[in-house]
Amino acid sequence: LLCALLLLEELRTSEFQARQLAELAREATFRLEPGPSPSIRFPDSGPYDERLGYTGLPDFVARLVASGFEIESQAQHSPRLEQLEDWGISPAYREKDRAGLRIVGRDGAVLFGTHFPEHSYERFEDVPKVVVDALVFIENREVLDNRYPRRNPAVEWDRLGRAALSRVLKVAGAEADRSGGSTLATQIEKFRHSPRGLTSSPGEKLRQMASASLRAYQDGENTTAARRRIVLDYVNSIPLAAAPPRGEVIGLGDALSIWYGADFERTNEILRTATDPGSPHDLETRARAYKRALSLVLSAGRPSYYLIQDPKALAARTDTY
């Protein structure tokens, strides 16, 4: 009985794993050192790593060295970080949501600048509350629960248990609901670093959970700020199919513009007053903006199907919510 109570307390608060994972994250570090690094690792797959060119770095560096360039400095990984990477765990660092290019003249004036995605939210507070509430309700209801500040946001044990039971029943040939056990943190890990952005096996799911857990505790045992950052990263990084001639659509901001032709700034202005009785926008305008944002959140599980193949199915699903 005592063991059961201790286990339930750990599942609810993550007190023990918070201490262990925070200590592990403190040991799994890197620092910039002169010359080539014998310990550096490069990713070999993952949509995020391919899109930003990280998987091509070894070849890029090798060609530069062959052309007479020298490596002035490179990241030296700690022994603990090397060990985790050998196990397939992604290194925990603050990943950027946007890539870009800026060309500056000798006078300091910007001659050219571009970003991808074009639209994104800079801070958690910039995301309209109705969008955050919808996302949390649909995908990860415990992620912003502040009752337990050390909780591991990478795992929702009740949902994971239901998903595992559903899978067992399906293997046994019984009828079972398709229950998903992924949190926002593991989904980010999946569509950034898993091969082809997919969960191909139970082992890959465990890798996602381990990597997302380590990332959540990189700033210490309290994950309150990390959980808000997870929501922000998800909103900015979620892949939402591809649209010609733009190609891949990344993030809610670009999706609003590309799939609905909506102005990003105006839509967010409307959404921020969506539940305000004194809003300067009429009910129909607020409802339309909210329904668009809600539909994009709902399309995340099957974006190509909902946004390209059968938009009517997406509209019907959105209406049920």
Side-chain angles (χ1 to χ4, degrees):
L1 179 60
L2 179 60
C3 289
L5 290 173
L6 290 173
L7 178 60
L8 287 173
E9 182 67 11
E10 175 62 21
L11 295 182
R12 186 165 51 245
T13 65
S14 303
E15 293 281 347
F16 175 76
Q17 60 189 294
R19 289 194 295 272
Q20 302 304 314
L21 288 169
E23 178 63 27
L24 196 61
R26 281 193 291 270
E27 295 175 358
T29 59
F30 61 89
R31 63 183 184 275
L32 200 61
E33 295 286 352
S37 169
S39 63
I40 196 167
R41 306 285 202 279
F42 296 100
D44 55 12
S45 63
Y48 176 89
D49 300 306
E50 292 170 359
R51 186 167 62 246
L52 271 67
Y54 298 153
T55 56
L57 279 173
D59 179 61
F60 183 58
V61 171
R63 286 189 284 120
L64 284 172
V65 170
S67 299
F69 288 84
E70 294 182 358
I71 297 175
E72 183 178 275
S73 58
Q74 214 168 25
Q76 177 73 46
H77 294 192
S78 69
R80 179 67 74 188
L81 181 56
E82 287 186 70
Q83 181 186 44
L84 292 171
E85 289 173 318
D86 288 342
W87 292 346
I89 307 300
S90 299
Y93 67 98
R94 197 64 54 82
E95 296 177 330
K96 59 186 177 184
D97 293 332
R98 303 173 83 188
L101 173 67
R102 185 175 62 169
I103 301 174
V104 182
R106 70 176 66 179
D107 60 352
V110 177
L111 304 177
F112 175 82
T114 186
H115 287 96
F116 181 82
E118 184 177 349
H119 304 291
S120 68
Y121 299 95
E122 295 295 328
R123 305 174 304 145
F124 172 83
E125 292 77 13
D126 296 335
V127 186
K129 186 177 184 300
V130 290
V131 174
V132 172
D133 290 344
L135 173 62
V136 170
F137 178 81
I138 294 165
E139 295 288 351
N140 194 171
R141 298 186 185 183
E142 297 175 6
V143 68
L144 296 179
D145 184 350
N146 292 326
R147 289 177 298 171
Y148 308 108
R150 294 181 176 85
R151 174 179 277 164
N152 183 354
V155 186
E156 275 192 11
W157 292 104
D158 50 352
R159 292 179 61 215
L160 184 63
R162 287 196 300 270
L165 178 61
S166 174
R167 186 173 182 84
V168 169
L169 291 173
K170 184 178 178 181
V171 170
E175 289 292 328
D177 294 332
R178 291 183 59 184
S179 300
S182 294
T183 59
L184 293 181
T186 56
Q187 288 185 57
I188 293 171
E189 193 66 33
K190 176 183 70 175
F191 60 63
R192 281 186 172 178
H193 303 300
S194 292
R196 299 174 57 214
L198 300 173
T199 305
S200 56
S201 66
E204 177 59 23
K205 170 62 71 177
L206 289 174
R207 190 204 66 77
Q208 294 167 8
M209 292 168 59
S211 297
S213 297
L214 186 66
R215 203 180 300 279
Y217 290 100
Q218 61 182 306
D219 293 329
E221 296 181 25
N222 190 317
T223 60
T224 303
R227 285 182 272 159
R228 290 158 66 91
R229 189 168 62 247
I230 286 167
V231 172
L232 176 65
D233 288 347
Y234 186 90
V235 170
N236 283 335
S237 307
I238 182 172
L240 291 169
R246 297 289 296 272
E248 192 173 21
V249 181
I250 301 295
L252 187 67
D254 274 11
L256 284 167
S257 173
I258 293 169
W259 291 117
Y260 291 118
D263 180 86
F264 178 70
E265 298 297 339
R266 174 169 166 74
T267 299
N268 282 285
E269 176 195 341
I270 295 169
L271 290 172
R272 289 189 184 101
T273 63
T275 58
D276 184 357
S279 172
H281 307 287
D282 61 71
L283 183 60
E284 183 178 349
T285 299
R286 286 179 281 157
R288 184 184 300 111
Y290 179 66
K291 185 173 181 179
R292 287 172 173 174
L294 177 62
S295 71
L296 292 171
V297 171
L298 289 167
S299 73
R302 303 175 66 192
S304 295
Y305 171 74
Y306 281 126
L307 294 168
I308 299 174
Q309 298 177 31
D310 197 350
K312 290 183 179 179
L314 177 59
R317 188 179 186 213
T318 307
D319 286 340
T320 66
Y321 278 79

